[in-house]
Amino acid sequence: MLLQDGWIQGIKHVISPHVNQRPDGQAPTLLVIHNISLPPGEFGGPWIDALFTGQLDPLAHPYFADIHQLRVSAHCLIRRDGEIVQYVPFHLRAWHAGVSCYQGRSVCNDFSIGIELEGTDELPYTDAQYRALQQVTLLLAEQYPGIEQHLTGHSDIAPGRKTDPGPGFDWQRYKHSLTTG
């Protein structure tokens, strides 16, 4: 994997308009793991791309009527088969964390990278997803030294408001993979 101008080369890019500059050019120092499935519990399809690009059709599914107007994005999505889709270059601010706090610092979007795993809180993630997440994390650690020491879940930076990536995510497996490269 290679990074060029904040984009991973050789993967699918779907450019999100839900992005802005980080304050004072601040480099990312935190990696936030999320999960997403649209509609909830269903995998595949164009709906996550549509949400992150502001093009979600509210009539396509009853659940979408309540979320189609959201202005959200993540830096990357890792699908169940391990495919990586990037929406926002890493040096820019994606809108993934919302109201959040990490180690006393609020507004985590300012200093974090958000990675979405296609999944649910309870369902185990796939081997392909763990491999892809490992690759992305190691690539980010080359660009942003020390970020691999600050890995957290959405639930940890927004407790009571968010539950992802949930108990289905194996933190020990993920962190161990980073040391065995």
Side-chain angles (χ1 to χ4, degrees), residues 88-178:
V88 174
F90 297 117
H91 63 279
L92 295 179
R93 184 181 186 266
W95 304 346
H96 61 95
V99 176
S100 53
C101 184
Y102 178 76
Q103 295 184 347
R105 294 176 69 190
S106 59
V107 192
C108 292
N109 285 340
D110 289 350
F111 59 93
S112 69
I113 290 173
I115 306 291
E116 295 275 1
L117 299 176
E118 188 175 37
T120 67
D121 288 3
E122 301 298 329
L123 188 67
Y125 297 90
T126 68
D127 292 342
Q129 286 178 299
Y130 283 106
R131 283 191 299 274
L133 181 58
Q134 173 200 34
Q135 290 176 321
V136 171
T137 303
L138 293 174
L139 181 66
L140 291 172
E142 290 175 14
Q143 182 70 32
Y144 306 107
I147 198 168
E148 73 280 5
Q149 300 301 314
H150 297 279
L151 311 169
T152 194
H154 199 190
S155 58
D156 298 316
I157 63 170
R161 189 173 69 80
K162 294 296 181 177
T163 59
D164 57 312
F169 186 72
D170 186 341
W171 283 101
Q172 184 176 354
R173 175 183 179 175
Y174 169 49
K175 289 179 179 181
H176 179 72
S177 77
L178 301 177

